[in-house]
Amino acid sequence: MTDAVASASEPPAGRRGQWRKNKKLDQWIVFWTVPGFFSLFGVVFVPLSWMMPPRSPSSSPSQIVEFMQSHNLLMACVILTLTFGLGPISNACYLIQIKRMSVSPAFRYAVIMGATTGTIVGMLFPLFCFGLGAFRRGYDPSVLAMLFDFGYLAFIGSLGCFCIMWMAFGLATILDENNILPKWLGYYTIWQYVTELIAAPVWITKTGPFAWNGLMTFWFAMALFVSWQFIVYVCIYRAIKNQPDEELENVWPMRESDSPEARPRASA
């Protein structure tokens, strides 16, 4: 009786290791690392370092020094240094789906270049500015104030890089005739990132709704971004799930080697 129960509880031999044969396994690994990265990104920027929500641009010199020389800030920079390489993985999810679309490769290249510039300006610059300020205790308050301004202006005032990037993604989605992603997502993406152009005034104002910690520049833009991020990942999930195995590049060599036409060439 116990043997029968044990054998019934074991999965069939043909199903063991079946997940390894999934031709989309690489895409799923990439897809599920992205929420993990953004979760860690949020932990680093909010409860660990309190870089976000942004400190006021009109903070006093003593407040800037206290923030810039925090041990938690330095720890946050260390963690971010070790993990920010996972950020480009999210772009790989988009690029795989754009490649399936019936649009020019120029859209894909625009996303790649926009992501590259955006990562340098919007992530590396703030990382080094805040990390440099926390690294050594002897910096003059005026130097720390400059790093403070540089870090926040780079992080919040560089949205133009991402605007062009996601405009290309949105246009590719709208013009695509293969219907890889829903058309409404393309319009939503363009609208969402056009509204982020309101970040431009952070360079000329230190108070009010258009400062880098203002209602419009930060809170409104952040609410739009977070909601868009959830929606676009649901759409990417469905696109990966619905993608036929025949379209996957990692099955092409197998398909070609199994074809009768390939066998004479292989033997020759």
Side-chain angles (χ1 to χ4, degrees):
M1 182 69 178
T2 56
D3 293 340
V5 174
S7 61
S9 62
E10 291 181 359
R15 294 184 181 179
R16 295 176 185 173
Q18 194 71 20
W19 60 273
R20 298 181 183 177
K21 299 180 181 180
N22 188 341
K23 299 301 180 182
K24 299 178 185 177
L25 179 61
D26 49 356
Q27 285 198 68
W28 290 124
I29 292 174
V30 168
F31 178 85
W32 288 114
T33 39
V34 175
F37 166 74
F38 278 106
S39 299
L40 183 61
F41 195 74
V43 169
V44 166
F45 271 83
V46 182
L48 184 58
S49 67
W50 291 112
M51 285 186 269
M52 298 293 153
R55 306 296 175 109
S56 172
S58 55
S59 298
S60 66
S62 60
Q63 291 174 324
I64 293 175
V65 170
E66 181 183 2
F67 166 68
M68 292 293 289
Q69 296 194 332
S70 165
H71 289 294
N72 284 355
L73 182 60
L74 191 58
M75 188 184 309
C77 291
V78 170
I79 296 174
L80 195 59
T81 301
L82 296 174
T83 58
F84 75 83
L86 294 173
I89 292 180
S90 63
N91 300 318
C93 292
Y94 298 104
L95 294 170
I96 290 172
Q97 300 309 319
I98 296 175
K99 191 174 182 180
R100 300 175 57 204
M101 297 178 181
S102 62
V103 294
S104 168
F107 289 100
R108 191 164 71 249
Y109 299 146
V111 172
I112 293 174
M113 297 310 297
T116 303
T117 14
T119 300
I120 292 173
V121 179
M123 187 181 294
L124 288 181
F125 281 7
L127 165 67
F128 285 112
C129 286
F130 292 127
L132 183 62
F135 180 71
R136 196 182 300 277
R137 288 282 173 179
Y139 285 123
D140 188 89
S142 60
V143 174
L144 293 177
M146 182 187 68
L147 293 173
F148 177 82
D149 291 344
F150 190 4
Y152 274 123
L153 287 173
F155 187 81
I156 299 174
S158 61
L159 294 177
C161 303
F162 298 102
C163 183
I164 298 300
M165 167 187 174
W166 295 121
M167 284 282 285
F169 174 76
L171 286 173
T173 303
I174 293 170
L175 298 175
D176 173 40
E177 297 179 358
N178 295 335
N179 297 319
I180 303 301
L181 294 170
K183 302 293 184 185
W184 59 262
L185 179 64
Y187 292 107
Y188 181 29
T189 300
I190 292 177
W191 175 82
Q192 200 272 123
Y193 277 90
V194 166
T195 59
E196 289 204 9
L197 292 177
I198 58 178
V202 301
W203 293 91
I204 56 178
T205 180
K206 298 182 179 66
T207 57
F210 293 102
W212 73 44
N213 65 332
L215 176 63
M216 296 297 294
T217 303
F218 178 76
W219 294 103
F220 178 65
M222 186 59 64
L224 288 176
F225 173 77
V226 171
S227 59
W228 172 84
Q229 191 74 61
F230 277 107
I231 292 171
V232 76
Y233 269 101
V234 170
C235 294
I236 292 291
Y237 172 84
R238 292 176 177 173
I240 296 174
K241 185 177 180 180
N242 296 332
Q243 183 176 5
D245 285 352
E246 292 74 17
E247 286 186 14
L248 301 173
E249 295 182 17
N250 55 335
V251 304
W252 291 353
M254 182 185 303
R255 193 165 65 241
E256 292 173 357
S257 62
D258 289 342
S259 63
E261 295 81 6
R263 290 171 187 167
R265 292 197 296 269
S267 60

